């Protein structure tokens, strides 16, 4: 499943910390859904001046898939500047 959390009053560096704490909290839960541990892959993107419609959500979605492809249970941050869009985002995997 996918969901979105908007943090309009949180600076970019703090939003990444919120995402990491969310990831850790979910991984620490022992939910009765079978033998597998529940984890979350989080994509973080920051609003840019001039963003149109779904631009922010597209970047967050791309970052989330980068976290998944890196092995999951991770936070990936989309580039903040358009010039860095061609490069991979920063991915922080869990230990």
């Amino acid at each position: 499943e996918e969901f979105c959390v908007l943090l309009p009053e949180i600076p970019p560096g703090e939003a990444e910390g919120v995402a990491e704490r969310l990831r850790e909290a979910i991984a620490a839960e022992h939910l009765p859904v079978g033998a597998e541990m529940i984890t979350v892959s989080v994509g973080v993107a920051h609003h840019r001046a001039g963003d149109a419609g779904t631009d922010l959500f597209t970047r967050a979605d791309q970052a989330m898939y980068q976290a998944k492809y890196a092995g999951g249970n991770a936070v990936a941050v989309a580039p903040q500047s358009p010039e860095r869009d061609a490069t991979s985002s920063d991915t922080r995997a869990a230990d």
Side-chain angles (χ1 to χ4, degrees):
E1 299 300 320
E2 294 183 15
F3 64 93
C4 175
V5 176
L6 299 176
L7 304 170
E9 302 299 321
I10 303 296
E14 290 180 37
E16 295 161 28
V18 169
E20 184 59 31
R21 288 191 302 279
L22 174 66
R23 185 202 60 75
E24 290 172 352
I26 291 171
E29 287 296 317
H30 299 285
L31 303 172
V33 293
E36 294 184 34
M37 183 173 90
I38 302 288
T39 63
V40 63
S41 298
V42 180
V44 176
H46 308 290
H47 181 266
R48 296 178 189 159
D51 270 352
T54 61
D55 293 345
L56 174 64
F57 299 104
T58 298
R59 288 194 309 278
D61 195 53
Q62 290 169 343
M64 180 203 55
Y65 278 103
Q66 286 184 346
K68 284 184 177 191
Y69 295 143
N73 196 28
V75 173
V77 181
Q80 288 189 10
S81 64
E83 298 81 38
R84 292 186 55 210
D85 278 345
T87 64
S88 63
S89 68
D90 180 22
T91 303
R92 293 180 189 94
D95 293 326

